Amino acid sequence: MNTSKKTLILFSGDLDRAMAAFIIANGAAAMGDEVTMFFTFWGLTILRKRAHEKAKGNGKSLLQKAFGAMLPVGPARLGLSRMNFGGLGAVMMRRVMRQQNVSTLAELVDTAREQGVKMVVCTMSMDVMGFRKDELIDGVEFAGVATYLGEADEANVNMFI
Amino acid sequence: MNTSKKTLILFSGDLDRAMAAFIIANGAAAMGDEVTMFFTFWGLTILRKRAHEKAKGNGKSLLQKAFGAMLPVGPARLGLSRMNFGGLGAVMMRRVMRQQNVSTLAELVDTAREQGVKMVVCTMSMDVMGFRKDELIDGVEFAGVATYLGEADEANVNMFI
Amino acid sequence: MNTSKKTLILFSGDLDRAMAAFIIANGAAAMGDEVTMFFTFWGLTILRKRAHEKAKGNGKSLLQKAFGAMLPVGPARLGLSRMNFGGLGAVMMRRVMRQQNVSTLAELVDTAREQGVKMVVCTMSMDVMGFRKDELIDGVEFAGVATYLGEADEANVNMFI
């Protein structure tokens, strides 16, 4: 265990929580820390690629196709954890953030990748949601909870978001 | 402080968050870690016994009876933190998980008990919700925040879920 | 890193989550720990002063005025994370807690200040929400994520709530 490693579990698929997670991750990486983000459940939606928005659901069960159709596709489509008002709140929040020169979530994700933040996707969540690896952005890894726990044991800050 | 102990505060009573918590707890226990889960607020609903679903609310205030009537009773009744659609989303999620051979939350709770995961229930939350000890599953302990903090000081991973 | 320091990120503006955070913070402080709370996003609403509820939004953008008008002002106005029912659930919860002699959130905030819990407000969130420093309670500090991470590196329990 040392103070130069952090892990974050990104369970939530909310715009605001995802932004908080990436701001922490990028802040730590900028300070020289090794950072691992573990994406599980709704958190996977952050990593979905737009190109596949209308991808056919070959090999998916009916329910998985429904998840695929109903869940947001990538950073630009996420809603807020509160005051979302059917997406209007998220539009307002994005506008205010742009006015205040806050990076967008898509930009924060790019920065994380450039800074070498390790992004690991929960394989069990992949199975449940029925997402294929090529439906997610490039450069992510796939692993289970044991891998995550191994990383957490080496870190001094571990958060569930 | 050592790397072989973990604590999780389970504040949420959502099916998806509870599953994430138990998957982490069981994963850590399987790797030989000592694990303590501290159930507070809505998290208590996960531990409610079905047998008491219609138990009379003797000695409870009107508001506590209302909490008892409105809150879910055990793993099979929890809803999702999002896309719940009045319970339909939770039904869908349970079905997909069964198709993918993911353990149910009730099974995860059983596994946790078999693996010796320590489950501690917040006494203040018990008072507020008006739950009696016999309304919860067997084998849980009851304590306050000071006990939790003492456990957290001995662990290297502590999460709020 | 030592076992006598804790940090909590308070992202949520829900009554129940805020209470959990302050109960943990006050418990740790009572046991002699140094505690830092970092308020971000919706968590800022907990620190808003009533006196400014109708304060004019001079220098704020239209969207910031909307945030100011729609977001709760201080502990007495927060809602529950679930079963809020347009505020009715929060009223019920407050009543049950009073019956059970649980401190109100406002009292918990006061206790935290008396015990020397350090409250740090995220400057980026201030910019986004458009809150002025004098709209928040006295005695809080203002800083960014780097300051938070520096504090977290000195603590042994770090939670995201």
Side-chain angles (χ1 to χ4, degrees):
Chain A
M1 224 250 2
N2 60 67
T3 61
S4 64
K5 180 159 178 171
K6 318 283 179 242
T7 77
L8 300 172
I9 296 181
L10 198 25
F11 168 95
S12 167
D14 298 318
L15 174 65
D16 41 0
R17 288 185 174 264
M19 289 198 69
F22 275 95
I23 289 167
I24 295 168
N26 287 342
M31 291 162 80
D33 288 351
E34 193 185 335
V35 182
T36 296
M37 301 179 85
F38 188 73
F39 295 82
T40 184
F41 276 81
W42 317 108
L44 270 65
T45 60
I46 302 162
L47 306 176
R48 292 178 85 189
K49 278 193 295 201
R50 290 295 295 281
H52 283 269
E53 192 162 3
K54 292 170 196 294
K56 289 202 193 70
N58 297 330
K60 296 189 183 185
S61 74
L62 204 68
L63 289 170
Q64 287 174 334
K65 282 180 197 169
F67 277 128
M70 290 188 299
L71 288 171
V73 179
R77 298 295 180 88
L78 302 184
L80 291 175
S81 67
R82 59 181 292 179
M83 298 190 70
N84 195 46
F85 303 125
L88 185 64
V91 169
M92 276 180 58
M93 182 61 86
R94 284 192 174 88
R95 191 167 303 174
V96 173
M97 285 182 165
R98 196 161 51 235
Q99 287 168 356
Q100 298 296 327
N101 294 315
V102 176
S103 300
T104 65
L105 179 54
E107 289 164 353
L108 290 171
V109 174
D110 286 343
T111 303
R113 291 206 285 188
E114 286 159 20
Q115 287 196 119
V117 170
K118 191 159 132 186
M119 301 192 198
V120 183
V121 178
C122 170
T123 44
M124 197 199 81
S125 299
M126 289 293 282
D127 291 341
V128 170
M129 303 290 189
F131 295 154
R132 289 185 310 267
K133 291 183 178 181
D134 68 309
E135 289 180 80
L136 303 189
I137 61 172
D138 298 330
V140 301
E141 300 175 26
F142 298 87
V145 69
T147 299
Y148 170 73
L149 287 165
E151 302 253 3
D153 270 346
E154 296 170 2
N156 75 318
V157 174
N158 303 292
M159 289 184 171
F160 185 96
I161 298 182
Chain B
M1 222 250 5
N2 60 68
T3 61
S4 64
K5 180 160 180 171
K6 320 280 179 245
T7 78
L8 301 171
I9 296 181
L10 198 25
F11 168 95
S12 167
D14 299 317
L15 174 65
D16 42 358
R17 289 185 175 264
M19 289 198 67
F22 275 95
I23 288 166
I24 295 168
N26 287 343
M31 292 162 81
D33 288 351
E34 194 185 335
V35 182
T36 296
M37 301 179 85
F38 188 74
F39 295 81
T40 185
F41 276 81
W42 317 108
L44 269 64
T45 61
I46 302 162
L47 305 175
R48 292 178 85 190
K49 278 194 295 203
R50 289 294 295 281
H52 283 269
E53 191 163 4
K54 290 167 196 297
K56 288 203 195 69
N58 296 330
K60 297 189 183 184
S61 75
L62 204 69
L63 289 170
Q64 288 173 334
K65 282 179 196 168
F67 277 128
M70 291 188 299
L71 288 171
V73 179
R77 298 297 179 87
L78 303 184
L80 292 175
S81 66
R82 60 181 292 178
M83 299 190 68
N84 194 46
F85 303 125
L88 185 65
V91 169
M92 276 179 58
M93 182 60 86
R94 284 191 173 89
R95 191 166 304 175
V96 173
M97 285 183 165
R98 197 162 50 235
Q99 287 169 356
Q100 298 296 328
N101 295 315
V102 176
S103 301
T104 64
L105 180 54
E107 289 165 353
L108 290 171
V109 174
D110 285 344
T111 303
R113 291 205 284 187
E114 287 160 19
Q115 288 196 121
V117 170
K118 191 158 133 189
M119 302 192 198
V120 182
V121 178
C122 169
T123 45
M124 197 199 82
S125 300
M126 288 293 282
D127 291 341
V128 170
M129 302 290 189
F131 295 154
R132 290 185 309 266
K133 292 184 179 182
D134 68 308
E135 290 181 80
L136 303 189
I137 61 172
D138 297 330
V140 302
E141 300 175 27
F142 298 87
V145 69
T147 300
Y148 170 72
L149 287 165
E151 302 254 5
D153 269 347
E154 295 170 2
N156 74 318
V157 175
N158 303 292
M159 289 185 172
F160 185 96
I161 298 182
Chain C
M1 223 254 356
N2 60 69
T3 61
S4 65
K5 180 160 180 172
K6 319 279 179 246
T7 78
L8 300 171
I9 296 181
L10 198 24
F11 168 93
S12 167
D14 299 318
L15 173 65
D16 42 359
R17 289 184 175 264
M19 289 198 69
F22 275 95
I23 289 167
I24 295 168
N26 287 344
M31 292 162 80
D33 289 350
E34 193 186 335
V35 181
T36 296
M37 301 179 84
F38 188 74
F39 295 81
T40 184
F41 277 81
W42 316 107
L44 269 65
T45 61
I46 302 161
L47 305 176
R48 293 178 83 189
K49 278 193 295 202
R50 291 294 294 280
H52 283 269
E53 192 162 2
K54 292 169 195 295
K56 290 203 193 68
N58 297 330
K60 296 189 184 185
S61 74
L62 204 69
L63 288 170
Q64 287 174 334
K65 283 180 196 170
F67 276 126
M70 290 188 300
L71 288 171
V73 180
R77 298 296 180 87
L78 303 185
L80 292 175
S81 66
R82 60 181 291 180
M83 299 190 69
N84 194 47
F85 303 126
L88 184 65
V91 170
M92 277 180 57
M93 182 60 86
R94 284 191 174 88
R95 192 167 302 173
V96 173
M97 286 183 164
R98 196 162 52 235
Q99 287 168 356
Q100 299 296 327
N101 295 314
V102 175
S103 301
T104 64
L105 180 55
E107 288 164 355
L108 290 171
V109 173
D110 286 344
T111 303
R113 292 205 282 187
E114 286 159 21
Q115 288 196 121
V117 169
K118 190 159 133 188
M119 301 192 200
V120 182
V121 178
C122 170
T123 44
M124 197 200 81
S125 300
M126 289 293 282
D127 291 341
V128 170
M129 303 290 189
F131 295 153
R132 291 185 309 267
K133 291 183 180 182
D134 68 309
E135 290 180 81
L136 303 189
I137 61 172
D138 298 331
V140 302
E141 300 175 25
F142 297 87
V145 70
T147 299
Y148 170 72
L149 286 165
E151 302 255 3
D153 269 346
E154 295 170 2
N156 75 317
V157 175
N158 302 293
M159 289 184 171
F160 185 95
I161 299 182

